[in-house]
């Protein structure tokens, strides 16, 4: 991995996610550690924010609304769209607002990455089975090499979290999966441990063995 061609993308680590995401405190702590190292090594840091306009313009089909007809989640008039306080962007960081799950859908993300000649993406964020997974697949389809930071991911329940990571591991052919401490070792040029994809549909997980297969990912 050429660090000059690498960027960290943090998907939707917003105040909205304080409500109901399993393990959010650990996710923030790991993100803080990785952010510090990326700043030290001059790896660009890109944040995304999911936003639903209060006036409902451009909402996804079936987006949940409250009794007044306004979005329940990520409403543009709420401070819950802001990045979590512990990992707020600095002035030199890039923040991309989006109106669909994928961070690539009708945003400037691909343009920004290509203008910086980025080839490798370090990605973590929320939620694993929604905005994170769709962003990763869209990044893969645009020929970026994806490095998933597993302990900077989370969902509202363990099953959705594990299943979505296993699906990505099965079908993103050059995927690498890290925990934060192991990725930091790699960034510093030290020996590290990571899971790497070796073949399509390689994991063959079932409801009965999902946890044990998931543990093999690091």
């Amino acid at each position: 991995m050429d660090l000059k061609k690498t960027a960290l993308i943090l998907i939707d680590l917003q105040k909205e996610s304080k409500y109901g995401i399993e393990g959010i405190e650990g996710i923030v702590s790991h993100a803080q550690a990785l952010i510090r190292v990326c700043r030290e090594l001059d790896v660009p840091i890109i944040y995304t924010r999911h936003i639903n306009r209060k006036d409902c313009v451009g909402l996804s089909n079936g987006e949940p609304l409250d009794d007044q007809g306004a979005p329940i989640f990520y409403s543009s008039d709420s401070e819950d769209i802001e990045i979590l306080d512990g990992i707020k962007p600095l002035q030199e960081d890039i923040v991309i607002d989006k109106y669909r799950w994928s961070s690539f859908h009708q945003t400037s993300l691909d343009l920004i990455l290509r203008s910086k000649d980025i080839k490798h993406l370090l990605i973590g964020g929320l939620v694993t089975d929604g905005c994170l997974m769709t962003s990763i697949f869209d990044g893969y389809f645009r020929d970026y090499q994806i490095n998933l930071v597993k302990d900077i991911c989370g969902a509202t329940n363990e099953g959705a979290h594990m299943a979505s990571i296993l699906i990505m591991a099965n079908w993103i052919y050059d995927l690498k999966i890290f925990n934060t401490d192991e990725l930091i070792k790699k960034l510093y040029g030290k020996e590290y441990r990571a899971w790497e994809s070796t073949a399509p549909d390689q994991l063959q997980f079932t409801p009965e063995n999902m946890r044990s297969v998931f543990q093999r990912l690091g």
Side-chain angles (χ1 to χ4, degrees):
M1 182 189 299
D2 183 349
L3 294 187
K4 293 181 179 179
K5 297 180 181 292
T6 300
L8 171 62
I9 301 179
L10 297 170
I11 306 293
D12 301 358
L13 294 177
Q14 296 165 261
K15 294 181 180 180
E16 179 82 49
S17 302
K18 292 184 297 184
Y19 312 111
I21 300 296
E22 291 192 347
I24 189 67
E25 294 82 6
I27 290 168
V28 171
S29 176
H30 294 132
Q32 289 171 331
L34 187 54
I35 288 168
R36 283 194 297 269
V37 172
C38 287
R39 293 201 195 288
E40 177 186 338
L41 299 176
D42 293 323
V43 172
I45 301 171
I46 301 173
Y47 295 79
T48 72
R49 300 192 310 171
H50 192 78
I51 296 176
N52 290 322
R53 287 176 55 118
K54 183 186 178 183
D55 61 8
C56 298
V57 171
L59 290 187
S60 299
N61 292 342
E63 182 68 37
L65 304 177
D66 62 21
D67 293 340
Q68 285 72 48
I72 293 175
F73 305 112
Y74 300 99
S75 182
S76 59
D77 66 338
S78 168
E79 70 167 8
D80 289 341
I81 64 172
E82 302 301 333
I83 304 297
L84 289 158
D85 290 336
I87 50 172
K88 279 186 175 179
L90 300 184
Q91 186 171 4
E92 63 266 26
D93 297 329
I94 297 167
V95 179
I96 292 177
D97 290 339
K98 63 188 182 66
Y99 301 89
R100 289 292 188 271
W101 288 6
S102 172
S103 301
F104 287 93
H105 181 74
Q106 296 186 357
T107 73
S108 59
L109 178 56
D110 189 49
L111 175 66
I112 288 170
L113 293 172
R114 294 189 188 282
S115 72
K116 291 180 171 293
D117 197 26
I118 299 296
K119 307 296 183 185
H120 306 281
L121 306 183
L122 318 176
I123 301 186
L126 308 172
V127 292
T128 317
D129 54 332
C131 296
L132 179 83
M133 183 165 67
T134 54
S135 297
I136 285 178
F137 272 112
D138 274 359
Y140 173 61
F141 297 147
R142 287 165 174 79
D143 299 325
Y144 296 103
Q145 189 271 314
I146 306 295
N147 302 276
L148 174 62
V149 193
K150 185 175 143 200
D151 54 4
I152 305 181
C153 303
T156 58
N157 64 87
E158 182 188 29
H161 173 68
M162 289 195 299
S164 51
I165 287 181
L166 289 168
I167 289 168
M168 289 185 280
N170 257 346
W171 296 111
I172 297 176
Y173 298 156
D174 60 350
L175 181 71
K176 294 185 180 181
I177 298 179
F178 294 84
N179 283 322
T180 299
D181 57 348
E182 297 297 327
L183 178 56
I184 288 173
K185 291 177 187 177
K186 178 176 176 60
L187 294 177
Y188 281 138
K190 300 178 181 179
E191 290 189 10
Y192 67 91
R193 182 168 55 89
W195 182 90
E196 296 188 36
S197 175
T198 58
D201 198 18
Q202 62 204 289
L203 297 174
Q204 298 295 305
F205 63 94
T206 68
E208 292 74 24
N209 70 4
M210 181 183 290
R211 279 197 179 90
S212 62
V213 175
F214 186 75
Q215 292 304 315
R216 287 159 41 194
L217 302 182

